[in-house]
């Protein structure tokens, strides 16, 4: 998956409020970043964790970056749901999920509130 802007990498130095972290970038700058996955915030955004940030598309936003990936010791975790469908489609098309999914040729997203007897 390619991002429109290149990602910048750093380490979380402070975790405050419900949706914001302070990050010391590898170049020495300290910036604030929005955390899109709020439900797992305490597990994903620990002080010391490595994160990959993308500049915010919203130029009027006070927080200039959005977290895209985090590494809290168990490997990189993609945290921004904005790209989930695109990322999954690319992985499915490239065959990266063949071992997990077997011979399935068609996959769709389950809609909220949809009841299925089986998937």
């Amino acid at each position: 998956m390619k991002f429109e802007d290149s990602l910048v990498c750093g380490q979380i130095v402070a975790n405050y409020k419900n949706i914001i972290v302070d990050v010391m970038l590898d170049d020495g700058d300290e910036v604030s970043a929005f955390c899109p996955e709020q439900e797992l915030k305490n597990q994903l955004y620990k002080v010391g964790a490595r994160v990959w940030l993308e500049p915010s598309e919203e130029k009027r936003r006070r927080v200039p970056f959005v977290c895209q990936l985090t590494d809290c010791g168990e490997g990189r975790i993609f945290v921004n749901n904005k790209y989930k469908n695109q990322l999954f489609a690319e992985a499915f098309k490239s065959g990266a999920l063949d071992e997990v999914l077997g011979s399935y040729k068609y996959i769709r997203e389950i809609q909220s509130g949809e009841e299925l007897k089986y998937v």
Side-chain angles (χ1 to χ4, degrees):
M1 174 170 197
K2 295 182 181 178
F3 289 91
E4 294 174 15
D5 294 298
S6 59
L7 297 178
V8 293
C9 187
Q11 188 172 21
I12 296 175
V13 293
N15 182 342
Y16 63 99
K17 300 195 179 184
N18 287 330
I19 57 174
I20 298 172
V21 294
D22 285 338
V23 177
M24 179 65 69
L25 299 178
D26 290 347
D27 67 6
D29 290 341
E30 189 170 327
V31 299
S32 295
F34 172 74
C35 304
E37 183 57 60
Q38 298 170 22
E39 292 177 13
L40 299 173
K41 182 180 181 286
N42 292 332
Q43 296 170 11
L44 296 175
Y45 305 110
K46 297 176 182 177
V47 172
R50 301 273 304 157
V51 290
W52 287 260
L53 311 175
E54 182 178 39
S56 175
E57 295 173 354
E58 193 64 41
K59 299 302 178 196
R60 295 181 291 169
R61 179 179 257 173
R62 290 182 182 176
V63 180
F65 290 93
V66 177
C67 186
Q68 299 298 336
L69 298 158
T70 183
D71 183 347
C72 53
E74 298 179 18
R76 292 186 184 157
I77 301 170
F78 193 74
V79 294
N80 193 340
N81 285 331
K82 174 182 174 184
Y83 297 110
K84 71 177 180 182
N85 290 339
Q86 179 183 353
L87 183 65
F88 183 81
E90 287 179 17
F92 186 72
K93 185 176 180 180
S94 73
L97 300 174
D98 287 350
E99 186 177 322
V100 175
L101 299 175
S103 62
Y104 292 102
K105 301 294 180 200
Y106 176 76
I107 294 193
R108 68 177 179 83
E109 184 175 0
I110 298 171
Q111 301 300 315
S112 177
E114 185 175 5
E115 293 183 27
L116 300 175
K117 294 182 180 178
Y118 56 90
V119 178

